[in-house]
Amino acid sequence: MNWEELKGEGDVAVKKVCDGLEKRGINVGKSIMSQFGTDEDIPVYDSLGNKLFWISVKSVPGNTTDPKKLPPGYKGWMCGEVESKQWIYPPTVIIWYCLKSNVAWGAITPKRPSTEWFIYPDRYGIIKDQRKSYLSGKTYYIYPSYCVPVERIISKDQVIEYIKQLSDL
């Protein structure tokens, strides 16, 4: 895998999730940049074209077949940099998509993630991201991210049902 393929993983995951939601009649749009310079992976609109909420999609490397079983060393499924302004207006749902196994799962985002989810790693930019650094030839660090405890993970069907309920308002 090269650097461009790594960057493209996220785009592929977003497209697959977007296609699946469209097949189920949910009015989704293309990824947009927020006023803070962060991307909103899948905006969801009502029938008049008003944005209702957005969905954050995370691609998962490796081959995950059971989202209740974390890879060795994981404290929880990471879901976005803490310093990102996107968490001022959090998405309603986070969806993880494993490209190798085609398994998807999710979590419902609390209004204030810091009150319910914990942060990993503990200090800003202290852990080198081996994969990105190797593929890009530059040093990248894993920044603090919210981790969702395994007990907060919901199935793909539960995620879809929740999105349908919100988009039917």
Side-chain angles (χ1 to χ4, degrees):
M1 175 176 286
N2 64 34
W3 179 240
E4 291 304 315
E5 289 172 331
L6 176 67
K7 291 187 337 187
E9 273 184 0
D11 294 337
V12 171
V14 168
K15 178 161 180 18
K16 287 187 177 233
V17 171
C18 208
D19 290 349
L21 293 172
E22 283 181 327
K23 285 180 193 173
R24 291 166 174 86
I26 297 167
N27 188 11
V28 297
K30 297 200 182 295
S31 179
I32 59 174
M33 292 301 288
S34 74
Q35 62 187 356
F36 305 108
T38 57
D39 62 335
E40 295 185 1
D41 293 327
I42 302 178
V44 179
Y45 299 93
D46 65 15
S47 59
L48 300 175
N50 300 307
K51 188 171 86 169
L52 299 171
F53 57 92
W54 62 281
I55 300 166
S56 181
V57 178
K58 306 295 176 192
S59 62
V60 177
N63 189 7
T64 302
T65 56
D66 183 354
K68 296 286 185 180
K69 293 182 182 175
L70 295 173
Y74 272 48
K75 293 184 181 180
W77 292 110
M78 284 196 261
C79 64
E81 294 83 3
V82 172
E83 77 274 11
S84 171
K85 299 297 185 288
Q86 68 184 339
W87 295 106
I88 292 172
Y89 303 108
T92 306
V93 176
I94 294 172
I95 295 174
W96 288 271
Y97 190 88
C98 182
L99 295 167
K100 288 191 178 166
S101 66
N102 289 317
V103 172
W105 63 92
I108 296 169
T109 312
K111 289 191 188 303
R112 295 186 60 211
S114 61
T115 63
E116 296 184 39
W117 295 350
F118 59 100
I119 296 172
Y120 174 85
D122 299 324
R123 291 180 57 203
Y124 183 84
I126 197 169
I127 297 175
K128 184 176 177 181
D129 187 324
Q130 299 292 339
R131 187 170 178 233
K132 281 185 181 178
S133 297
Y134 172 76
L135 291 173
S136 69
K138 299 177 186 175
T139 302
Y140 282 86
Y141 292 93
I142 298 172
Y143 293 99
S145 295
Y146 286 109
C147 286
V148 183
V150 175
E151 60 269 14
R152 296 294 300 271
I153 296 297
I154 58 177
S155 71
K156 178 176 102 173
D157 292 336
Q158 290 170 302
V159 172
I160 292 166
E161 187 58 37
Y162 184 72
I163 293 169
K164 281 183 178 177
Q165 287 174 7
L166 291 173
S167 59
D168 285 344
L169 297 175

